[in-house]
């Protein structure tokens, strides 16, 4: 019995939840509403006979019991959904048409004086903001350029001061191992340190020209003096 009850319950649930059977039941109740009303709400005391005989004798019409509910079910399941979709399609197209014409009218509508002034002020503020931003960026770029130039200058300065100069070392080694040139160089060095002019003989002039070409000595006034490279050269040659 339990299995039979479960099967009957499953069948009834499937039939009532099915769109076809559910719609048919709904249509049948619309056309024959008097039958359930008489069955549940009218007592037999008010009738001349029992309810079943009264229903059979007064409501036993095949058009109301079968034909009309079937036609209603067909209309509800086929024609009405098409009409509903058509109405939805018309609504969407109307909203689209209304939106396009609204945008078209608004695009052709002239601004009022207040709106023009407000728009001009907004544009002016944006231009001022943009100009200030560009100016700040230019200042930042200039600052970074100066920083980069300063870094490059310091690197070159350190390279010039701290990095051993191969040319100066080679020249110092050459003079140091040449007895005549070393003697002339020592005489030139003594003369510069004592604020005197070196001798003007050809050999001395030759060494002076060599030292000037290597930027070891310079002559800003009447007397020669050692440059920074010259001071470094002195360290190389005195080792």
């Amino acid at each position: 019995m339990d299995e039979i009850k479960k099967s009957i319950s499953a069948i009834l649930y499937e039939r009532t939840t099915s769109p076809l059977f559910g719609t048919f039941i709904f249509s049948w109740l619309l056309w024959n509403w008097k039958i359930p009303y008489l069955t549940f709400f009218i007592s037999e005391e008010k009738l001349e006979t029992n309810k079943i005989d009264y229903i059979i004798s007064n409501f036993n019409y095949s058009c109301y019991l079968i034909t009309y509910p079937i036609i209603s079910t067909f209309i509800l399941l086929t024609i009405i959904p098409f009409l509903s979709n058509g109405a939805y399609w018309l609504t969407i197209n109307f909203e689209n048409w209304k939106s396009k014409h609204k945008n078209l009218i608004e695009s052709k509508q002239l601004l009022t004086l207040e709106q023009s002034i407000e728009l001009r002020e907004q544009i002016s503020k944006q231009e001022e903001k943009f100009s200030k931003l560009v100016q700040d960026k230019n200042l930042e770029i200039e600052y970074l350029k100066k920083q980069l130039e300063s870094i490059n200058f310091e690197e070159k300065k350190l390279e010039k001061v701290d990095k051993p100069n191969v040319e100066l070392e080679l020249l110092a080694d050459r003079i140091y191992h040449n007895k005549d040139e070393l003697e002339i160089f020592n005489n030139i060095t003594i003369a510069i340190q004592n604020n005197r002019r070196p001798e003007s003989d050809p050999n001395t002039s030759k060494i002076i020209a060599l030292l000037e070409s290597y930027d070891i000595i310079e002559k800003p006034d009447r007397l020669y003096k050692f440059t920074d490279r010259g001071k470094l050269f002195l360290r190389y040659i005195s080792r």
Side-chain angles (χ1 to χ4, degrees):
M1 293 298 295
D2 292 337
E3 294 296 331
I4 294 174
K5 289 181 181 179
K6 290 180 180 180
S7 298
I8 294 173
S9 299
I11 294 171
L12 292 175
Y13 177 79
E14 181 182 357
R15 294 295 183 269
T16 54
T17 55
S18 172
L20 176 61
F21 288 98
T23 306
F24 179 78
I25 293 171
F26 176 74
S27 299
W28 191 91
L29 290 175
L30 286 178
W31 287 105
N32 301 280
W33 62 273
K34 292 180 181 180
I35 295 176
Y37 177 76
L38 180 64
T39 302
F40 294 107
F41 299 104
I42 302 299
S43 66
E44 290 185 350
E45 296 176 356
K46 296 181 180 181
L47 304 175
E48 297 177 355
T49 181
N50 59 63
K51 291 184 179 181
I52 296 176
D53 293 336
Y54 185 83
I55 291 171
I56 293 173
S57 61
N58 291 277
F59 303 106
N60 189 18
Y61 303 108
S62 60
C63 58
Y64 283 95
L65 293 175
I66 298 175
T67 306
Y68 291 163
I70 290 176
I71 295 173
S72 300
T73 301
F74 177 79
I75 293 173
L76 290 173
L77 291 177
T78 58
I79 298 176
I80 290 181
F82 279 108
L83 294 176
S84 177
N85 291 334
Y88 181 70
W89 180 82
L90 290 174
T91 302
I92 292 176
N93 281 273
F94 176 74
E95 293 293 334
N96 187 24
W97 176 84
K98 184 172 68 174
S99 177
K100 287 182 179 179
H101 282 73
K102 180 182 177 182
N103 294 333
L104 180 62
I105 293 173
E106 289 179 350
S107 64
K108 293 182 178 180
Q109 185 177 2
L110 297 177
L111 297 176
T112 61
L113 180 60
E114 290 78 8
Q115 290 175 336
S116 300
I117 294 173
E118 183 179 359
L119 181 60
R120 187 176 300 173
E121 290 179 353
Q122 291 179 359
I123 294 174
S124 178
K125 289 181 180 179
Q126 291 295 328
E127 289 179 349
E128 183 179 355
K129 183 178 179 180
F130 180 75
S131 177
K132 185 178 179 181
L133 180 62
V134 172
Q135 185 178 2
D136 292 340
K137 291 299 180 182
N138 289 333
L139 291 175
E140 184 177 356
I141 291 172
E142 291 296 328
Y143 174 76
L144 292 175
K145 284 183 178 179
K146 291 181 179 179
Q147 290 291 325
L148 182 60
E149 291 176 357
S150 178
I151 292 173
N152 291 335
F153 176 77
E154 292 296 330
E155 289 180 352
K156 290 181 180 180
K157 184 177 179 181
L158 291 174
E159 181 181 358
K160 183 177 179 180
V161 174
D162 298 333
K163 185 178 179 180
N165 195 310
V166 177
E167 293 182 349
L168 291 181
E169 288 185 347
L170 292 175
L171 181 61
D173 185 70
R174 165 192 160 181
I175 295 176
Y176 182 81
H177 290 90
N178 190 310
K179 183 177 179 181
D180 295 334
E181 290 183 354
L182 179 60
E183 183 179 357
I184 295 173
F185 176 76
N186 289 332
N187 292 333
I188 294 173
T189 302
I190 295 172
I192 292 175
Q193 291 176 348
N194 290 283
N195 294 323
R196 293 187 292 102
R197 290 184 179 183
E199 297 180 1
S200 59
D201 58 277
N203 293 330
T204 302
S205 299
K206 182 179 178 181
I207 298 299
I208 289 175
L210 179 64
L211 297 177
E212 286 180 328
S213 66
Y214 278 86
D215 194 25
I216 296 175
I217 62 174
E218 62 181 359
K219 189 179 181 183
D221 297 324
R222 294 182 303 171
L223 301 176
Y224 286 98
K225 69 175 185 178
F226 285 101
T227 62
D228 292 337
R229 284 169 58 86
K231 295 175 182 178
L232 182 62
F233 180 79
L234 291 175
R235 291 201 297 269
Y236 288 154
I237 203 169
S238 61
R239 286 185 301 183

